[in-house]
Amino acid sequence: MANGKDFISLHDFSADDIEEFLEFAKKLKSAYQAGGYTPNILKGKTLGMIFEKSSTRTRVSFEVGMYQLGGSALFLSSKDLQLGRGEPIKDTARVLSRYLNGIMIRTFGHERILELAEHSTIPIINGLSDLLHPCQVLTDLLTIREYKGKHFRNLKMAYVGDGNNMANSYLYGAAKVGMALTVATPQNYKPNAEVVANALEDAKKTGAELILTEDPIEAVKHADIVATDTWASMGQEAEHDERKKIFAPYQVNAALMQHANKGAIVLHCLPAYRGEEITEEIFELHAEEIFDEAENRLHAQKSILATLL
Ligand code: CP
Ligand code: NVA
């Protein structure tokens, strides 16, 4: 895979590219677990990390990942950058391209990332936008592979909840690797229509069965993997109470999990809101998988960094 490419959406990559990212992540994880560091891979390289939204996992895993690969990372809060005072993205892009070897950005509108990429001469990594969260879904594919094997085409996944950035990225990811995915959301909270159309197009090539429904039981029936996410994403705080009522039938709880396959795993990108999208009982029953998933952010992103930078 060519260096210098951006990592903005899984839709931009081929199934082989995704397989390469996952295979490399697996190798980096084994090396890390064996106590072996790989400090020569990105020696002398610097990643800038622009945050316009909060983060625990993304910030820490990217920063530690750069360190483990021999490079360094700069935390750039938009509150402190001139970007936060109105300096244009295109100027920020051209300045930062002179200092850095790559930029990870977490922001609101997806078009901000596209604009940054258009005016940068260095790779841009999407650390979450309102539309997509590709680093998390690559991580989830790594986690699924560890628990269920690499034959994604034999697996069925269910996503239950809000048709948000996670749902959109799961659609792109599943379509590329050929995994069956059913997304259950309330009627007015479906995944992005353009993403759905693109994913269905990709799915034609891999045979992935992608289904959208309003019925959480239909989604979870015979699923090997059940995933959910917060009902109110960053930026939607004011809608929280209203959403809590609308999404109540979409809670991942023991009754819903009864419809999944025996041995089904549960994934949650975190942070989790117990008693809302997932019960305490189901969360703790599946904590092993969920925290493996959180750890895998580090390994999957090291694979992205080492490939792109
Ligand atoms: N899952 C995830 O992206 O977590 P953070 O918001 O803590 O980075
Ligand atoms: N959908 C959530 C994911 C958080 C990691 C959000 O955008 O807030």
Side-chain angles (χ1 to χ4, degrees):
M1 194 188 314
N3 285 3
K5 209 173 170 180
D6 301 317
F7 190 87
I8 294 177
S9 166
L10 292 176
H11 179 57
D12 301 334
F13 292 91
S14 69
D16 286 347
D17 291 338
I18 292 173
E19 174 61 24
E20 264 183 59
F21 278 127
L22 295 174
E23 201 47 49
F24 194 18
K26 187 181 162 200
K27 286 200 184 103
L28 289 165
K29 182 171 182 175
S30 306
Y32 173 72
Q33 287 176 333
Y37 283 80
T38 40
N40 293 320
I41 298 183
L42 292 182
K43 199 170 173 185
K45 304 242 167 139
T46 307
L47 177 77
M49 308 188 299
I50 301 176
F51 282 94
E52 302 194 312
K53 286 177 175 170
S54 306
S55 168
T56 297
R57 283 145 288 270
T58 305
R59 179 184 173 177
V60 177
S61 56
F62 266 106
E63 192 160 338
V64 170
M66 279 304 290
Y67 174 77
Q68 291 182 359
L69 292 168
S72 56
L74 289 177
F75 174 67
L76 304 168
S77 163
S78 62
K79 289 191 201 94
D80 306 322
L81 292 173
Q82 298 288 9
L83 184 66
R85 293 179 61 244
E87 183 168 15
I89 292 181
K90 62 179 181 182
D91 292 357
T92 306
R94 287 179 285 183
V95 170
L96 294 182
S97 294
R98 305 285 181 116
Y99 303 136
L100 300 167
N101 304 101
I103 299 173
M104 192 283 302
I105 177 167
R106 165 167 288 196
T107 190
F108 292 87
H110 190 70
E111 61 287 349
R112 290 177 72 74
I113 303 186
L114 298 178
E115 192 182 348
L116 186 72
E118 188 188 336
H119 298 282
S120 296
T121 55
I122 54 177
I124 302 301
I125 299 170
N126 177 1
L128 180 148
S129 67
D130 289 345
L131 187 71
L132 298 172
H133 197 0
C135 294
Q136 182 68 55
V137 168
L138 184 72
T139 298
D140 290 14
L141 292 174
L142 179 65
T143 313
I144 292 167
R145 215 172 180 260
E146 288 174 352
Y147 277 91
K148 297 285 174 194
K150 61 193 223 178
H151 300 296
F152 290 112
R153 284 165 199 250
N154 300 338
L155 297 173
K156 184 188 171 215
M157 178 168 188
Y159 172 86
V160 180
D162 185 20
N164 61 13
N165 42 15
M166 284 301 300
N168 293 335
S169 285
Y170 279 131
L171 283 163
Y172 275 160
K176 289 285 180 182
V177 302
M179 180 168 63
L181 169 67
T182 304
V183 174
T185 67
Q187 192 185 9
N188 296 327
Y189 295 86
K190 293 202 187 306
N192 178 277
E194 196 183 325
V195 169
V196 173
N198 289 338
L200 285 171
E201 206 48 46
D202 285 345
K204 279 187 197 158
K205 289 172 214 141
T206 58
E209 192 182 15
L210 305 179
I211 297 172
L212 302 189
T213 175
E214 286 162 40
D215 180 357
I217 294 177
E218 181 195 337
V220 168
K221 205 165 263 175
H222 308 305
D224 304 294
I225 304 113
V226 177
T228 187
D229 183 22
T230 182
W231 291 338
S233 286
M234 289 180 274
Q236 297 172 334
E237 289 77 6
E239 298 171 33
H240 185 224
D241 290 348
E242 188 196 350
R243 284 171 168 263
K244 250 171 94 167
K245 285 184 217 131
I246 295 168
F247 284 93
Y250 294 83
Q251 184 184 64
V252 175
N253 54 31
L256 186 64
M257 285 304 293
Q258 278 196 342
H259 300 278
N261 274 350
K262 207 163 160 272
I265 63 167
V266 172
L267 296 179
H268 192 310
C269 66
L270 302 175
Y273 298 87
R274 293 165 169 82
E276 295 187 17
E277 75 274 7
I278 191 164
T279 57
E280 168 81 10
E281 181 194 6
I282 293 300
F283 184 95
E284 291 303 335
L285 206 60
H286 294 276
E288 192 69 18
E289 296 120 53
I290 293 169
F291 290 104
D292 277 348
E293 177 190 9
E295 178 189 329
N296 281 340
R297 288 295 297 276
L298 175 66
H299 311 299
Q301 288 161 193
K302 279 167 72 177
S303 165
I304 297 169
L305 289 166
T307 306
L308 265 58
L309 268 56

